[in-house]
Amino acid sequence: MNTRVLNNLRRLPVMVAIFALSMMLLTTASAQRTHNFTFVGSPDRLDFTLHNNTGYQIDEVYVSPTNADDWEEDILGEDVLANGSEVPITFNRQKQSHWDLKVVFKGGREAIWQKFDLSQLTDIYISFKNNKVYSTTKNGG
């Protein structure tokens, strides 16, 4: 047999292995990108940023499904949300898009909002106006 043909035949298993490995890596990378990427407005993506524009420190933040019997855990934990600051709130829950929000200010004053559709929101801004707590939202779509 020709020497050139023999050399090419010897390289064939290596080239097949490289091709197979490349296809596996490409498939894995593509699957991970698809799996991890979520479009804004997706019911699985419930992340939002909470903005404190109240003039007061927020000591506790709770987010619970609408119609739940109790509040979930304090999202801030031992941290606080100073006036003018923001905190990203990240979680992923399926089959529930409407959520209630409760904040507790330094000194114990509470404010509660009901039925935020977190699958549609990217930001919630809390502020005071005429000594009342208000919220405004930014939609993600």
Side-chain angles (χ1 to χ4, degrees):
M1 220 181 241
N2 185 340
T3 311
R4 178 186 262 171
V5 173
L6 284 175
N7 284 338
N8 285 339
L9 287 175
R10 286 184 191 137
R11 292 182 191 154
L12 184 61
V14 172
M15 291 180 1
V16 169
I18 290 172
F19 175 76
L21 181 59
S22 298
M23 293 307 294
M24 288 186 334
L25 290 174
L26 180 62
T27 303
T28 302
S30 177
Q32 285 179 344
R33 190 172 353 155
T34 303
H35 177 71
N36 292 332
F37 185 76
T38 308
F39 289 102
V40 171
S42 166
D44 293 342
R45 187 209 61 75
L46 301 175
D47 305 343
F48 66 95
T49 301
L50 180 65
H51 303 264
N52 180 6
N53 298 323
T54 62
Y56 301 96
Q57 175 178 297
I58 295 175
D59 287 343
E60 301 170 29
V61 175
Y62 302 90
V63 180
S64 291
T66 297
N67 300 324
D69 292 335
D70 60 0
W71 291 100
E72 304 282 326
E73 64 187 50
D74 174 16
I75 290 174
L76 295 178
E78 298 201 12
D79 293 331
V80 297
L81 184 59
N83 178 53
S85 297
E86 61 188 47
V87 62
I89 298 176
T90 304
F91 62 105
N92 212 15
R93 307 266 177 112
Q94 295 183 3
K95 299 179 183 176
Q96 179 71 39
S97 58
H98 288 89
W99 296 78
D100 297 341
L101 172 68
K102 174 181 171 181
V103 298
V104 179
F105 295 96
K106 184 176 184 178
R109 184 175 180 177
E110 297 181 355
I112 297 174
W113 294 268
Q114 297 177 326
K115 296 184 180 180
F116 280 118
D117 185 351
L118 296 182
S119 69
Q120 300 298 315
L121 300 178
T122 58
D123 295 87
I124 298 176
Y125 300 86
I126 298 175
S127 59
F128 267 101
K129 183 177 182 182
N130 299 326
N131 205 27
K132 292 184 181 179
V133 185
Y134 287 89
S135 71
T136 56
T137 60
K138 179 179 175 186
N139 290 345

